Amino acid sequence: MGHDTSRDRKDEQLEAARVRDDDHLLTTNQGVPVDDDDNTLRAGERGPSLLEDFHFREKLTHFDHERIPERVVHARGAGAYGHFEAYASCGDVTRAHFLAEPGRRTPVFVRFSTVAGSRGSADTVRDVRGFAVKFYTEEGNFDLVGNNMPVFFIQDGAKFPDFVHAVKPEPHNEIPQAASAHDTLWDFVRKQTETTHMMLWVMSDRALPRSYRTMQGFGVHTFRFVDADGTGTFVKFHWKPRLGVHSLVWDEAQRLAGLDPDFNRRDLWEAIESGAFPEWELGVQLVPESREHEFDFDLLDATKLIPEELVPVRPLGRMVLDRNPDDFFAETEQAAFHTAHVVPGIDFSNDPLLQARLFSYLDTQLIRLGGPNFAQLPVNRPLAEVHNNQRDAYHQSSVHVGRTAYTDNALAMGCPAAAGPERGYQHLQAGVDGAKIKRRSPSFADHFTQAALFWRSMSDWEREHIVEAFRFELGKVDSVEIRRDVVAQLAHVDRALAEGVADGLALERPEAVATPEPAPSPALSLDALAGDSGIATMKVAVLAASGVDTGTLSGVVDALTVRGAVCEVVACDAGQLDGDAPGRDKDVVRRAMFTVAAPLYDAVVVPDGDRAVERLADDHVVRGFVAEAYRHGKALGSLGLGVGVLAASGVPEDAPGVVSTRDLGPDEFAARFAAAAARRHWSR
Ligand code: HDE
């Protein structure tokens, strides 16, 4: 009977769809309407399936072939569309059209990623983040394929496969996933001391971004700008997030990997859906070619940065992301970035890491996207028109007309014709000389000074987190020899760092060696980068239970929302709240406590209401929630009797970042609370 009823219902639905719009009918890939999508064609109701069921075979075959290889690195990522807008003309240094005029807008697609994990791995692992931007300029696509750290692990592309094999899960048992805390990575690190500077960045909280929206981005390599006269200028690219730079702490990041493996991806998606469009400023450090050799490091060495105190960052424009993709696979997964996608006015330096990338990115797309026609995919297609004689190959979707597929031709009046130096991309005519040689330049030999620069630029709490990270990572390394060697390596950076790590691992402190003492670069510390956007777009948990004072509850939610915060009422139980006063007490519960945890929020508020406070304070899950937020340095606030929940959770009323009031109104409270939530409180 059930069978007949559901079939009847389906028939009705089909009929309704037919009436509504013929476009909504299910068809095969050949456009043939399908009568039934739930049953294979059978010989008799209980008989074998028939080969002639072309619809079923097509459906299953397509499914069987749905996967393409994930990216060999940066497999896990999330993307969004937006635009870049230039502030002013940069004609003094580059002929790039998209930077030539104030207000000129260029559409962009951006993909953020982790490096080591597989496509389904967690977002909040300790890792570098990719920050790849595709500018669809009128002169063709420019891809700025950067990271959220300004330096890299290695100096020469020949070591890249070794590095990636070392950091990825170990090949015999494919463990651990998306983690650097294992023997092979640290074995690589101790053998390749050029990794030291980058390893300090990766052990810092920069490797745990709170959000893609709160990360810096860097082009890493030295590139070149080229002006209309053909003069080159060395350039390093920087992205600075409008919301300031904010990170998680390790304990929180680990919890989040289980609580919400999509934490960063979800944050980006939700921000864009809610209209809180992520924004960055693009800036450049410029070095005239005449000053190439003025630094105590080599500009071609990607393990080095140029301190902003030596060469300030010149702002070029801003980027806003305001549209989520419609189809993750079609757009984000099939996006093909390539460091050699440059436009007139942007050129390369001889950085040997960059030179290797110029080969690798095209090569990787050939296997990943199945041939050389990936530029025809919608996300990769330039806005600029494409005219050339490249033909055929897998997935060709252009229909080329005409009989000439060669230059130089007379039959098609010589079209398409080379654009010439005025309009075409012209490589900078940089001089080269020297013997063919497989040897690292001696100017790349210093592996420790900039590691010391980074360490010396950190605040106390950042240093503590770095030491803890080294202890954690090396603590997971089985080989005591590797642990010892890495500690000895750190002794070349800073004695206190090496001793801190050694003590935590119960290793002998390493022998004293001379350490470099470069002047710190304050611009590198997260303390200098928190920004001034306060509580804007931060997620606040407002803890409630039946009996909550709905006046303060809605008052504080409104006052924080006005300041840009995203408030979620979290209650002990699912369902509606029974408030102590008439007001907006129905339907306000967004999450039941048993579905969430403190790491999902940036700050916590407890409103007034004696019955609610009693219930909350009595609940060990609530107390654990509050205590965890406190431990992670987050702002906590209470109104009226709400302070009882903080006290029951062991939060001192006068601790930094705790705002408790018995007499302030919701608005005044919100102003003070927003200021407290602007950054974490590590001095507790
Ligand atoms: Fe990549 N890198 N990389 N890389 N990389 C890839 O390209 C490679 C390097 C970066 O969202 C791959 O399409 C080599 C530095 C990002 O799709 C591959 C070397 C920086 C992304 C590749 C480097 C990056 C990639 C894998 C050393 C920061 C993700 C899939 C010579 C400046 C882009 C793909 C996206 C992806 C090779 C070093 C950033 C295999 C050989 C340095 C953001 O081609």
Side-chain angles (χ1 to χ4, degrees), residues 71-74 111-113 129-132 145-147 152 154 156-158 160-161 218-221 302 332 335-337 352-354 356-357 360-362 364-365 368:
R71 290 166 174 82
V72 59
V73 282
H74 296 264
R111 183 172 178 274
F112 303 107
S113 48
R129 297 302 184 283
F131 191 131
V145 198
N147 276 347
F152 201 65
I154 48 169
D156 190 309
F160 190 67
F218 302 91
V220 177
H221 312 279
T332 307
F337 293 92
L353 199 70
L354 173 59
R357 294 179 76 198
S360 184
Y361 287 69
L362 174 57
T364 206
Q365 312 309 345
R368 208 168 67 76

Side-chain angles (χ1 to χ4, degrees), residues 639 661 663-670:
L639 293 111
T661 172
D663 42 23
L664 292 181
D667 202 53
E668 266 173 285
F669 167 81

Side-chain angles (χ1 to χ4, degrees), residues 650-663:
V651 173
E653 212 177 317
D654 55 356
V658 178
V659 181
S660 287
T661 172
R662 289 180 181 76
D663 42 23

Side-chain angles (χ1 to χ4, degrees), residues 547-568:
V548 68
D549 181 276
T550 49
T552 30
L553 173 76
S554 42
V556 82
V557 167
D558 288 348
L560 288 172
T561 307
V562 165
R563 287 170 173 80
V566 180
C567 294
E568 279 191 0

Side-chain angles (χ1 to χ4, degrees), residues 46-105:
R46 301 182 61 251
S49 301
L50 298 177
L51 198 58
E52 68 187 67
D53 186 349
F54 57 84
H55 161 238
F56 162 73
R57 279 191 294 117
E58 179 197 87
K59 182 178 178 183
L60 211 63
T61 305
H62 196 279
F63 169 76
D64 291 344
H65 296 257
E66 273 176 11
R67 292 290 167 271
I68 63 170
E70 64 174 33
R71 290 166 174 82
V72 59
V73 282
H74 296 264
R76 168 93 186 154
Y81 292 95
H83 65 264
F84 171 79
E85 187 173 316
Y87 289 150
S89 167
C90 291
D92 56 326
V93 281
T94 174
R95 64 179 277 207
H97 177 267
F98 79 106
L99 295 171
E101 211 177 87
R104 177 164 288 164
R105 279 192 173 201

